[in-house]
Amino acid sequence: LRTRGSERPGLPSLSHIEKRVIPETQTGAESPTLGDTQPTTYGFPSFAESFIAALQVSGALTLLTPGAVINGRFEIVAELGVGGMGVVYKVLDLHLDKIRALKAILPHLVANESLRQRFRNEVDLCQNLSHPRIVRVYDLGQDHETGCDFFTMQYIEGRSLHTYLTDECQGRVEVPEAIRIMDQLCDALEYAHQTTIHRDLKPQNIMLDAKNEVIILDFGLAKLADPLRTFASSSAVGTPNYQSPE
């Protein structure tokens, strides 16, 4: 792969592939994580981003467009974000006449059983969590046409904490506002840690809604908390930039 300032002879250039700019609302699919063979970006375009772009350019990956209906119930309103493993749409629940977010496995990964288990894990964990600062997850289903697993969740109109910090604040947050955000975040984590550990907490997985209230997303790598066991394993999970050094 070609990265900024370096090349490897004999490998094709991906410079013709443009990085897509996704309007920031709620994604939960925007940053690659370890544990799913997706490398970190470390500030550079990731292999996952380039690979997804290449699939779309070649026509091998076709995402749903506004107006499409999944299982006769969920009408696609807009695409919110796409990552190395999944895509998140804004949808209209035709049965309940409510706007939801729908997270689906990418079609070319439908045979990935570990990823399907991650989806089921996220639904199981989140349905047992009831807190105003943790995203609500509703239904788990499977697209009748593609066989892709998906689940629906609370739609949040807002932006990620990452966007807030980098674009709106340019890295400078007033002390009272920083305390308010951290207080809400710790309140949600104190509740969640009674039963689970998130394991991939980062600004991209924390939303600020229209009222600037904190909501935590993406429990796909979470584990049930058990004081009698540890989580040591031969493979790391999470996002390296936000992990403790050890």
Side-chain angles (χ1 to χ4, degrees):
L1 291 179
R2 175 179 295 176
T3 58
R4 297 177 189 173
S6 65
E7 296 183 11
R8 276 185 165 184
L11 291 181
S13 169
L14 299 178
S15 59
H16 67 285
I17 299 175
E18 295 183 0
K19 183 178 178 181
R20 303 182 58 201
V21 179
I22 303 297
E24 179 99 35
T25 49
Q26 159 187 358
T27 64
E30 52 186 306
S31 293
T33 55
L34 291 178
D36 298 282
T37 65
Q38 301 296 342
T40 178
T41 62
Y42 288 107
F44 298 104
S46 70
F47 173 75
E49 290 174 328
S50 300
F51 181 63
I52 292 299
L55 287 175
Q56 290 180 295
V57 168
S58 68
L61 172 61
T62 303
L63 301 180
L64 297 176
T65 56
V69 178
I70 298 177
N71 294 356
R73 178 173 180 179
F74 302 107
E75 181 179 345
I76 305 297
V77 176
E79 179 190 313
L80 298 180
V82 60
M85 297 165 289
V87 57
V88 179
Y89 299 102
K90 178 181 180 180
V91 300
L92 172 64
D93 186 333
L94 299 175
H95 290 185
L96 301 177
D97 194 29
K98 291 185 179 294
I99 293 294
R100 305 290 193 206
L102 184 147
K103 184 175 181 179
I105 296 176
L106 290 171
H108 67 286
L109 296 176
V110 69
N112 188 324
E113 186 56 36
S114 66
L115 183 55
R116 298 181 70 180
Q117 182 57 47
R118 174 176 170 177
F119 261 59
R120 292 190 287 267
N121 180 60
E122 185 167 357
V123 173
D124 289 343
L125 285 173
C126 287
Q127 286 190 334
N128 290 322
L129 298 174
S130 179
H131 192 280
R133 311 218 180 280
I134 296 176
V135 67
R136 294 191 296 275
V137 171
Y138 302 115
D139 303 301
L140 176 67
Q142 189 175 72
D143 189 332
H144 296 158
E145 293 187 5
T146 66
C148 292
D149 291 325
F150 68 85
F151 63 81
T152 58
M153 55 185 167
Q154 170 190 5
Y155 173 73
I156 303 166
E157 190 71 58
R159 70 281 197 215
S160 70
L161 180 60
H162 175 76
T163 294
Y164 172 75
L165 294 174
T166 57
D167 296 348
E168 297 181 30
C169 300
Q170 285 78 49
R172 296 177 179 270
V173 182
E174 296 294 328
V175 171
E177 179 66 3
I179 292 174
R180 185 190 69 83
I181 291 173
M182 290 301 298
D183 182 61
Q184 292 184 3
L185 181 58
C186 289
D187 182 52
L189 291 174
E190 182 180 28
Y191 168 80
H193 285 173
Q194 297 177 57
T195 56
T196 188
I197 300 171
H198 191 285
R199 301 204 301 173
D200 195 24
L201 194 66
K202 56 189 175 185
Q204 292 90 337
N205 285 338
I206 300 167
M207 289 289 294
L208 296 177
D209 66 13
K211 297 180 180 179
N212 266 2
E213 301 293 306
V214 168
I215 299 179
I216 301 176
L217 308 175
D218 201 348
F219 279 76
L221 291 181
K223 291 288 187 182
L224 292 176
D226 185 342
L228 299 181
R229 63 175 289 202
T230 65
F231 298 117
S233 69
S234 59
S235 61
V237 294
T239 304
N241 284 0
Y242 298 98
Q243 288 178 315
S244 57
E246 65 273 15

